[in-house]
Amino acid sequence: KDIRGYEDRLYRYLDKETGNDMYLCNKPECKHDGNPFCVATNKNYRVLDQNYIYDGRLIVAGIDETDTNYEFKLMELALDGSEASEICTYYRLVKDGFVVTNYGGYKMYIHRDKAFLPMNVIGTSGMEDTERFGVAIVDLKTYEVSYLDEEPLSKENIPTTDITAYGDYFYYCRKEGKKTVLYRYSLTDKTIMAHNLMVGFQGKYAVADEEHIVYLKGAARNLCTYHYETGENKEALPLRSARMHYEDLYGNTVYYEEEYEAIAVSADEDYYYVAEVSVVFRDEETGEVEEKYSCINIYNRDFEKVTEVNMAPLLDDIPRAEEGALYVTHEGMQYIGDRVYWQFFGQGWHYWYSCTRSDFLTGNPKFELEYGVKINQWN
């Protein structure tokens, strides 16, 4: 949990068995009031919106402000709330007239004992407002710190977004003019390669395997592939559109094609998953309307459609800690073992639900609550 106030940052969790919302601290008789011994509410650090569960611990990025510096810290918290400790300081920003007013929310990613940490600092130097960017790379075994750019943090650096990892590589996107460029950073030799994707790529992609990626282009109406070695780009699948109609002021029926925008693509070893925004289908003969809210289309590796999961009725049936509408965040889809995990949010809560992959592939999965937390935007 990340309370959006500079001083009031804390971690909570939802106990799956009891449904209790609790502080991530097991200190006996702790008041969870920001004291330095409280794992959940220690006010010595300004906790960033960057955390990651890895190797049985919660890895957290935070800021320790001293008289002269802003100290960027990487910390680890025990998942039972028993202890918290510093891993390393991965950057020191000397104040020297620079006053930080906000830290951006770019997400960290951890893979093969390496933490990929985007930095985004908004502040004022003299009378000038400025924003600075950078990426730190921390080895969680040796605590070695390196940086993606020549300058660790600079207003000349380009923001790094849409980070993922596969094999020996981190993947990330950068906006260069009107074009979004996908880069691949090697964990073995630290080299960086740019992938020349087709015009219209906006940062929505998935690593399919060691040979290629899949991505969306244009108004997200085409699923494309890119081969690493040959550099070949192909439009593999046009995404669907529907013929809609309405009556004009004179009673005439007007037909038009409406294309539905895909907002995310993900992949596992067998399938591609394409998530769409809300769509409404109207039968041209009967006039009946069917809503498909947050629809997930599943394709095999030959781009043949396997099934479709319409989230609209599923959201109504999901048990949750509080009543209210639920929405899907498509970047929150993960695969662990034989289970598919989805992140939902609604009424100030964030939830993780899961189902078996075989159940998901039927098109009518039964989700079970795995984890949830209450988010208050302002305290």
Side-chain angles (χ1 to χ4, degrees):
K1 177 178 179 179
D2 182 7
I3 299 295
R4 306 290 180 177
Y6 288 132
E7 297 300 325
D8 300 304
R9 303 286 178 141
L10 50 89
Y11 286 93
R12 299 176 70 93
Y13 69 97
L14 182 69
D15 187 280
K16 181 181 176 182
E17 301 299 327
T18 66
N20 293 330
D21 180 25
M22 299 180 292
Y23 289 97
L24 184 62
C25 176
N26 71 355
K27 299 291 192 298
E29 301 180 1
C30 182
K31 296 181 180 179
H32 312 303
D33 57 359
N35 71 78
F37 303 102
C38 180
V39 173
T41 66
N42 188 327
K43 290 187 178 180
N44 289 344
Y45 303 100
R46 182 183 299 179
V47 178
L48 303 179
D49 188 19
Q50 292 180 310
N51 52 75
Y52 204 100
I53 293 179
Y54 183 79
D55 195 26
R57 51 189 173 158
L58 179 63
I59 308 298
V60 177
I63 301 290
D64 180 14
E65 183 177 351
T66 69
D67 292 337
T68 58
N69 298 329
Y70 295 102
E71 307 274 348
F72 288 69
K73 304 282 187 178
L74 196 61
M75 299 170 288
E76 61 180 62
L77 279 62
L79 294 181
D80 63 358
S82 59
E83 61 180 346
S85 60
E86 289 187 11
I87 295 175
C88 68
T89 298
Y90 61 90
Y91 186 71
R92 287 184 175 87
L93 175 61
V94 179
K95 289 182 176 179
D96 192 25
F98 186 78
V99 179
V100 172
T101 56
N102 191 23
Y103 296 95
Y106 295 111
K107 303 298 183 182
M108 80 160 78
Y109 203 102
I110 299 179
H111 178 68
R112 294 194 173 178
D113 296 326
K114 301 292 193 302
F116 208 76
L117 285 152
M119 296 182 286
N120 176 203
V121 176
I122 303 171
T124 302
S125 180
M127 298 297 292
E128 179 188 2
D129 292 333
T130 184
E131 189 169 13
R132 305 181 184 187
F133 302 97
V135 176
I137 304 169
V138 178
D139 189 309
L140 298 179
K141 294 295 185 183
T142 66
Y143 310 129
E144 177 188 0
V145 179
S146 58
Y147 304 99
L148 189 63
D149 299 289
E150 184 176 348
E151 292 292 330
L153 189 68
S154 169
K155 59 184 179 182
E156 306 301 326
N157 290 343
I158 302 173
T160 299
T161 60
D162 300 298
I163 303 167
T164 189
Y166 189 94
D168 291 329
Y169 301 96
F170 275 111
Y171 297 79
Y172 59 94
C173 293
R174 286 185 160 177
K175 196 79 171 179
E176 299 179 3
K178 295 182 178 180
K179 185 178 181 180
T180 300
V181 180
L182 177 67
Y183 287 91
R184 186 173 72 169
Y185 172 87
S186 172
L187 291 169
T188 56
D189 59 19
K190 300 182 180 181
T191 57
I192 297 173
M193 176 182 292
H195 298 309
N196 296 313
L197 306 184
M198 284 188 276
V199 174
F201 172 66
Q202 296 294 322
K204 303 302 180 184
Y205 70 97
V207 181
D209 49 43
E210 291 85 356
E211 295 184 354
H212 68 285
I213 65 168
V214 292
Y215 64 97
L216 299 171
K217 84 172 187 72
R221 294 172 185 141
N222 287 281
L223 186 61
C224 306
T225 63
Y226 173 82
H227 194 279
Y228 298 129
E229 298 301 325
T230 65
E232 181 184 21
N233 283 287
K234 291 195 304 184
E235 290 188 3
L237 181 69
L239 301 179
R240 67 180 175 185
S241 62
R243 194 172 187 223
M244 309 290 286
H245 76 272
Y246 67 94
E247 288 189 359
D248 63 17
L249 295 176
Y250 305 100
N252 300 315
T253 300
V254 178
Y255 293 93
Y256 63 98
E257 295 291 328
E258 182 167 332
E259 295 178 330
Y260 299 107
E261 182 178 357
I263 59 175
V265 58
S266 55
D268 61 17
E269 64 271 18
D270 297 312
Y271 301 100
Y272 302 121
Y273 305 84
V274 179
E276 295 178 338
V277 295
S278 301
V279 296
V280 177
F281 292 93
R282 185 187 304 276
D283 188 285
E284 295 179 3
E285 295 182 0
T286 66
E288 294 183 359
V289 174
E290 179 186 6
E291 181 182 12
K292 293 181 178 293
Y293 181 79
S294 300
C295 188
I296 314 300
N297 296 288
I298 305 174
Y299 303 91
N300 62 24
R301 284 303 179 100
D302 293 323
F303 297 96
E304 299 168 335
K305 189 168 182 177
V306 175
T307 190
E308 176 182 296
V309 182
N310 180 16
M311 290 297 199
L314 299 177
L315 297 178
D316 294 334
D317 295 336
I318 288 177
R320 49 192 184 270
E322 283 193 356
E323 293 301 320
L326 281 179
Y327 303 92
V328 184
T329 59
H330 297 289
E331 67 274 11
M333 187 177 184
Q334 293 187 7
Y335 315 93
I336 303 176
D338 187 43
R339 298 195 72 81
V340 178
Y341 292 80
W342 278 91
Q343 186 179 14
F344 298 82
F345 67 93
Q347 300 296 318
W349 282 82
H350 280 228
Y351 303 92
W352 281 101
Y353 287 87
S354 75
C355 67
T356 63
R357 190 171 73 150
S358 58
D359 192 21
F360 190 72
L361 292 171
T362 66
N364 189 31
K366 304 298 181 183
F367 284 99
E368 299 176 4
L369 174 66
E370 293 289 345
Y371 192 78
V373 66
K374 179 75 171 179
I375 305 290
N376 293 326
Q377 292 298 319
W378 298 94
N379 191 30

